[in-house]
């Protein structure tokens, strides 16, 4: 299937000193990450943001993919960045944050630091427990996309939520959550005060479970779930650059 206009992956070749891998969310596209990527590119960073398998075409295509496919895509991009940049950071929105955590668990200190925006690690309610059963009965349910407070802003994402893919996301949570203590890199976590997609408990579980000592939490007071396209987008972008610079300065001091 042809990729939707605006949903294409993007990359920017900047400094070989530091690079960023950006991971978009469930049913979303790189469009939600492009302003973030543009800001990082303007700051001189090398940037990569892949389009996850099954995304950016039709929601039916997502039901033919699973978390292993999505993780494989970001993992491949990470390896490419690690081969070209001295320091590599990974950042993700929503499920992109889940994938970021998994990369941090696997790659350890090869990743300089991670940035999480409204990351997901669980969902309360019976619907999650019933997903494996529903996946064999119902192909899709209502969309989770476009939770944005800013008037006139629209997320480029699917109009339906594919149920088999959602069941696979739940399996990813089950893989990532028990190994959160393996996340030891510096962490910047930004969460919206009001989020209609990912419950606040997600961030609390992550912050309580990770093994990192350098952790910063920022509450986004004026944004909903897709905060990278919302009122607090500029705050996310500037805090990300400040975070990366701080981590790199600390690394240079330690090396010295």
């Amino acid at each position: 299937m042809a990729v939707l206009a605006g949903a294409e992956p993007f990359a920017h070749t900047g400094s070989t000193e530091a690079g960023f891998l950006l991971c978009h969310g469930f049913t979303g596209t790189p469009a939600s990450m492009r302003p973030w990527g543009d800001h990082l590119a303007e700051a001189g960073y090398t940037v990569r943001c892949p389009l996850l398998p099954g995304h950016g075409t039709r929601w039916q295509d997502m039901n033919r993919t699973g978390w292993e496919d999505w993780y494989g895509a970001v993992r491949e991009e990470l390896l490419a960045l690690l081969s070209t940049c001295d320091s590599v950071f990974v950042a993700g929105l929503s499920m992109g944050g889940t994938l970021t955590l998994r990369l941090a668990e696997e790659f350890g200190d090869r990743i300089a630091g991670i940035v999480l925006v409204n990351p997901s690690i669980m969902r309360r309610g019976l619907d999650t427990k019933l997903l494996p059963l529903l996946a064999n009965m119902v192909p899709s349910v209502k969309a989770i996309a476009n939770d944005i407070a800013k008037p006139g802003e629209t997320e480029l994402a699917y109009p339906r939520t594919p149920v088999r893919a959602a069941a696979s996301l739940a399996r990813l949570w089950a893989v990532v959550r028990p190994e959160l203590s393996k996340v030891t890199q510096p962490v910047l976590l930004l969460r919206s005060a009001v989020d209609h997609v990912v419950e606040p408990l997600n961030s609390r579980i992550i912050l309580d479970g990770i093994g990192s000592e350098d952790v910063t939490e920022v509450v986004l007071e004026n944004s909903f779930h897709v905060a990278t396209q919302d009122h607090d987008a500029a705050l996310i972008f500037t805090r990300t650059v400040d975070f990366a610079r701080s981590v790199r300065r600390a690394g240079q001091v330690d090396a010295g």
Side-chain angles (χ1 to χ4, degrees):
M1 290 295 298
V3 173
L4 297 171
E8 303 88 357
F10 63 86
H12 173 79
T13 301
S15 171
T16 58
E17 294 182 358
F20 265 90
L21 169 62
L22 300 182
C23 308
H24 70 75
F26 184 78
T27 76
T29 67
S32 64
M33 314 298 279
R34 190 174 290 275
W36 198 0
D38 289 344
H39 186 91
L40 292 168
E42 290 172 5
Y45 294 96
T46 289
V47 180
R48 287 176 176 261
C49 183
L51 174 64
L52 301 180
H55 292 71
T57 54
R58 306 179 309 154
W59 66 260
Q60 292 91 337
D61 295 331
M62 257 195 89
N63 273 335
R64 302 185 183 97
T65 65
W67 78 262
E68 297 91 345
D69 302 303
W70 314 327
Y71 184 68
V74 296
R75 189 180 188 278
E76 181 178 347
E77 294 289 344
L78 175 61
L79 290 172
L81 274 174
L82 288 170
S83 70
T84 58
C85 295
D86 298 334
S87 299
V88 175
F89 295 85
V90 184
L93 167 67
S94 193
M95 182 189 75
T98 320
L99 295 171
T100 297
L101 288 166
R102 187 58 185 161
L103 289 171
E105 291 171 354
E106 179 183 353
F107 285 87
D109 60 9
R110 294 181 67 188
I111 295 175
I114 63 173
V115 182
L116 309 170
V117 178
N118 294 325
S120 71
I121 200 73
M122 54 78 69
R123 183 179 175 88
R124 282 176 168 168
L126 289 174
D127 57 341
T128 300
K129 296 179 181 179
L130 293 174
L131 277 175
L133 178 62
L134 287 174
N136 294 319
M137 302 169 58
V138 181
S140 70
V141 293
K142 67 179 182 179
I144 60 170
N146 213 38
D147 187 33
I148 301 174
K150 186 176 181 180
E153 191 72 23
T154 301
E155 181 187 12
L156 180 58
Y158 285 145
R160 301 286 294 175
T161 299
V163 177
R164 286 185 182 177
S168 188
L169 172 58
R171 291 194 293 274
L172 173 61
W173 292 337
V175 170
V176 174
R177 186 171 173 178
E179 299 196 340
L180 284 173
S181 62
K182 291 183 178 180
V183 178
T184 57
Q185 304 88 343
V187 175
L188 171 62
L189 187 149
L190 307 103
R191 63 174 180 84
S192 297
V194 178
D195 187 329
H196 303 98
V197 178
V198 171
E199 298 154 322
L201 183 58
N202 283 266
S203 290
R204 181 48 46 201
I205 290 172
I206 291 168
L207 292 172
D208 289 344
I210 58 178
S212 306
E213 295 183 0
D214 181 355
V215 179
T216 301
E217 180 183 14
V218 177
V219 178
L220 306 172
E221 299 288 353
N222 304 303
S223 299
F224 294 161
H225 181 65
V226 191
T228 53
Q229 291 183 245
D230 218 324
H231 293 294
D232 295 304
L235 175 61
I236 295 172
F237 305 161
T238 56
R239 289 300 295 262
T240 299
V241 171
D242 291 344
F243 169 74
R245 288 173 176 167
S246 175
V247 168
R248 296 191 67 232
R249 281 197 301 269
Q252 289 167 358
V253 170
D254 293 343

